[in-house]
Amino acid sequence: MIDDIKKDAESRMKKSLEALHGNFNKIRTGRAHSSILDSVTVDYYGSQVPLSQVASVNVEDARTLSIVPWEQGMVAKIEKAIMTSDLGLNPASAGTVIRVPMPMLTEETRKGYIKQARAEAEHARVAIRNVRRDANGDFKSLLKEKEISEDEQHRGEEAIQKLTDKYIAEIDKLLETKEHDLMQV
């Protein structure tokens, strides 16, 4: 029973870390990266589908993405979807290829992105702590129902605390890497 609680807590902490990873990918650095467009959806015959399902997205050079739609008629729709997204990008089409240049980041926008990254990291830390709280609550309820001893409860809480420390350290490491990427010119 204690192992089940630990496994559940660890899987939930991993999901929080993966969510943070996804959120960090949406925060753009000065370099072109295809994951920047992961959140863009395109109208495809009446339904909204991810951009990656209607076109191939490639990194042309360090500051340019190239998008090649699988259907000629999708060029205008893809351009419109990128422009209306909150990414601040201006695509330009040349025949069937859409090029998306990454604008230079100013000092002010870099600081804004760092602030956003720190907020995302704090949300992930809070999620990890909430998992710890839930697991410790499960241990207390098991103790109350006399299904485990106090020693087992303390061992379980110590194991959950070690997991919490491990995942918070990973969040801090991810944040440090993202801040370093954002400050590179």
Side-chain angles (χ1 to χ4, degrees):
M1 214 176 291
I2 293 174
D3 288 337
D4 292 341
I5 294 172
K6 284 188 221 173
K7 285 178 185 174
D8 179 55
E10 185 162 19
S11 73
R12 289 173 58 196
M13 288 180 185
K14 276 184 186 173
K15 287 178 185 173
S16 296
L17 198 64
E18 289 168 9
L20 177 67
H21 230 313
N23 290 339
F24 275 179
N25 283 341
K26 292 177 188 171
I27 300 173
R28 98 182 145 80
T29 58
R31 294 185 306 274
H33 197 274
S34 61
S35 67
I36 291 170
L37 298 175
D38 284 351
S39 62
V40 176
T41 57
V42 181
D43 179 44
Y44 185 67
Y45 295 108
S47 61
Q48 293 293 319
V49 295
L51 177 64
S52 59
Q53 291 184 8
V54 294
S56 66
V57 180
N58 299 308
V59 177
E60 196 169 285
D61 58 44
R63 304 199 41 80
T64 310
L65 290 174
S66 67
I67 303 167
V68 181
W70 293 320
E71 294 179 26
Q72 178 80 30
M74 294 300 296
V75 174
K77 290 181 180 180
I78 291 172
E79 276 186 312
K80 183 180 179 193
I82 294 171
M83 279 194 226
T84 57
S85 68
D86 282 343
L87 299 173
L89 301 173
N90 291 315
S93 63
T96 59
V97 178
I98 303 167
R99 287 190 175 74
V100 183
M102 296 290 140
M104 288 292 289
L105 296 179
T106 64
E107 185 76 21
E108 188 176 309
T109 55
R110 287 178 197 276
K111 287 180 181 175
Y113 285 144
I114 287 175
K115 190 175 182 181
Q116 183 182 354
R118 287 180 180 158
E120 295 291 350
E122 186 55 34
H123 288 305
R125 285 188 203 103
V126 168
I128 298 289
R129 290 185 201 116
N130 287 341
V131 172
R132 176 186 63 192
R133 184 197 62 219
D134 293 345
N136 288 344
D138 291 343
F139 289 135
K140 285 180 181 156
S141 65
L142 287 175
L143 177 67
K144 195 175 189 180
E145 296 169 7
K146 300 208 184 313
E147 292 183 31
I148 61 172
S149 67
E150 281 188 32
D151 288 343
E152 289 174 317
Q153 176 197 3
H154 289 294
R155 278 195 293 273
E157 287 178 356
E158 285 174 10
I160 295 295
Q161 185 59 48
K162 285 180 185 173
L163 273 178
T164 302
D165 294 342
K166 172 186 159 192
Y167 280 98
I168 287 187
E170 285 186 43
I171 289 170
D172 292 340
K173 193 165 53 173
L174 276 174
L175 177 62
E176 186 180 318
T177 304
K178 188 63 175 183
E179 285 180 351
H180 180 66
D181 286 349
L182 285 167
M183 289 313 291
Q184 284 183 341
V185 178

